[in-house]
Each structure stands twice: as structure tokens, then as C-alpha cells.
Amino acid sequence: MIGKDFVVSKKHYKCFTTFRNVMKDDVSPLHSLIITNFDHAVCESFTTVQFQTEVIGDGGETILPEKWRYCHRPADDNLPRILTKLKRLLEVRGLTRIEEDNPNLIDITKIADRAKVVAEVVANEMCGNTPGQQSDICSEEFVLNHLNHLKYQLHCNVIPLGMIKFGGPFERAVLFKGLADQIGLPCSLVRSVDGRVLFNEIPLPIVGKRVQCSMSVLPTKLLSLTHIVDLMETPGELYPIESRKAFQYLQLL
């Protein structure tokens, strides 16, 4: 966490201290980092690093020096737009949060529908959710090339989440978590044992349309994570944790 931001590394660090030390250095990290921020659209001066490089010609002579700069907490003017779009969709569908005066409470009857809307927005922002499109446009190789192009533009391996237009399960899970936090939807960001895949889990104390308790508004701390969110095959589908469908979905990622 950096203030209100959170950062996810594509590389799986087994030791958190190592990752924290990477974040402290004023240099571009070796591996890709995805930063999620909703509060600044302009790079702050204290997060910008400038350095000068010299280009050597074929004859060994020094050609005009160039000034390069990068930001290790890059601005993101697109993420707030995505959040505004999500909030409008929730309002149109009557799914806005009604427990604003007490953010520790949540209407559990709306969790599934709200998660589905978030998943739809995530899929559309990261190449669409047309069946059959995912394997081509969002293949691992395609997404990797897209991320490498962004890093080339930024002169840095720290990528603002809002700049990512083509995302696989890893990038989509980060966006889902970021948006869910902003609208008060309980959600976790889980990394697979091998560190390669990210996915989201949410609490869903309902079966079909039958609520499994007598109250519809509950404290969020009483809810336990029960379902995995599909962000690739059928965005918005929810699979019970440890169910056959959940295992099948994770094996496809």
C-alpha cells in the first residue's frame, strides 16, 4: 500500500520485506508492478525521477545527450473515469450502496448483482467480453506485448492500471479489486500457490434467491469469502470456493 494506492507485482515475492525494499528504491523495479490509484491524475514532482543518458555513435563519439524521466507513482486519469462509469451503471440498475452512513454494513441481497456489474465493466475495459474473443485478444503473449509497450512509453516498469487496455486474468483481478474497494463491495485479491495467477473471492451468503439468514443487512466483518468471480469465460458468474466449477475455472487461467 502507498497511501490510498495499492501495488501488485507480476513477480511473486515469497518475502514481503524484499518487495517492500523494491518499493522504497527510487529506481525502476526489475519486474512489472501494477499500481492502482484513484486520487491523482497528474504525476507529483517528488515521485518523478530524471536522469541523463548519452548516446554513443558508431565511431565512439558522444551524440546529443538525452534527458529521460519516469515516475515511480505514475498518475492515472483513466481509472476515475472507469469508476464513474461503474457508479452510473449501478445507479441505473438500482444497485447503489444504501448503507453510506455506516460503511461497515452491507445489503447481502445485492452482493451478487453488484459483483456482476463490476465484472462486466472490468471485462469491457480490458478488451470486451464477447464469447470466443478472450483466447485471441487476451492471450498471455498478447497481454505481455501490450504491457511491454506501456513500459517502453513510461520508461518504467510501474504501470498505472487505467492504462491497461488488454488484460488477462491477472490484470482483470487487480481492476476488480480496485473497483470493488471503491464501491464498498467486500472482495479479496488471491494469488495462486505458484504466484502466476490472481483471482477474486467475495462473500455470498445466499443460494439462488433465498437468503440464508433472517436479516438482509449485515456487518461486513461477519461475512466469510464463499465464491470465486469469473472475469474471463463468463464475466460475472460466481462459483462456490472448492466447487468443481471453481477448480475448472482456475485451471483455465
Side-chain angles (χ1 to χ4, degrees):
M1 299 287 291
I2 306 178
K4 295 180 182 178
D5 304 347
F6 71 86
V7 181
V8 181
S9 171
K10 292 283 284 186
K11 172 182 170 59
H12 178 40
Y13 289 92
K14 295 182 179 180
C15 176
F16 181 74
T17 303
T18 304
F19 178 63
R20 185 177 58 188
N21 291 338
V22 170
M23 297 304 303
K24 284 182 178 179
D25 294 334
D26 287 335
V27 296
S28 178
L30 182 61
H31 300 280
S32 300
L33 300 178
I34 298 175
I35 185 168
T36 301
N37 70 74
F38 292 87
D39 62 349
H40 64 283
V42 179
C43 288
E44 296 146 320
S45 57
F46 68 91
T47 65
T48 302
V49 178
Q50 294 191 1
F51 60 97
Q52 187 166 295
T53 62
E54 293 184 351
V55 180
I56 308 299
D58 294 337
E61 74 282 7
T62 300
I63 306 177
L64 249 139
E66 297 181 3
K67 285 187 177 179
W68 291 63
R69 76 184 192 98
Y70 71 88
C71 182
H72 54 85
R73 188 184 177 225
D76 197 334
D77 58 358
N78 195 41
L79 211 49
R81 177 194 64 78
I82 299 174
L83 178 60
T84 300
K85 173 183 175 181
L86 171 61
K87 288 182 175 179
R88 286 175 182 167
L89 280 175
L90 292 172
E91 185 176 358
V92 168
R93 301 186 189 184
L95 296 171
T96 51
R97 185 177 175 84
I98 61 173
E99 315 84 23
E100 293 294 347
D101 16 337
N102 194 338
N104 296 319
L105 297 177
I106 188 166
D107 185 349
I108 62 175
T109 63
K110 294 184 177 180
I111 291 179
D113 291 332
R114 286 161 65 84
K116 184 173 181 61
V117 175
V118 178
E120 289 174 358
V121 170
V122 168
N124 285 325
E125 290 295 328
M126 291 194 169
C127 90
N129 56 2
T130 305
Q133 194 179 46
Q134 309 301 329
S135 58
D136 298 327
I137 299 183
C138 292
S139 66
E140 187 174 349
E141 183 180 2
F142 192 99
V143 173
L144 179 61
N145 288 336
H146 174 56
L147 296 180
N148 286 339
H149 178 67
L150 292 177
K151 290 188 287 187
Y152 176 79
Q153 287 181 309
L154 296 166
H155 308 307
C156 182
N157 283 351
V158 183
I159 307 172
L161 181 59
M163 288 186 69
I164 301 176
K165 302 303 180 186
F166 301 97
F170 193 102
E171 294 74 26
R172 293 186 184 204
V174 177
L175 181 55
F176 187 95
K177 171 62 175 173
L179 293 175
D181 285 353
Q182 294 296 313
I183 65 169
L185 177 67
C187 169
S188 70
L189 187 62
V190 184
R191 190 185 287 264
S192 60
V193 177
D194 62 4
R196 185 180 59 86
V197 174
L198 287 184
F199 57 95
N200 305 103
E201 294 178 347
I202 65 169
L204 191 62
I206 59 176
V207 176
K209 296 185 178 180
R210 180 170 61 85
V211 181
Q212 290 184 324
C213 61
S214 58
M215 299 175 61
S216 62
V217 178
L218 293 175
T220 53
K221 66 180 180 180
L222 295 182
L223 303 180
S224 57
L225 301 170
T226 60
H227 286 67
I228 290 175
V229 185
D230 186 335
L231 297 176
M232 295 298 297
E233 296 300 310
T234 313
E237 284 294 309
L238 304 175
Y239 308 130
I241 295 174
E242 296 188 359
S243 67
R244 181 173 59 85
K245 282 191 173 182
F247 283 121
Q248 288 176 341
Y249 173 67
L250 294 178
Q251 286 175 354
L252 291 173
L253 300 184

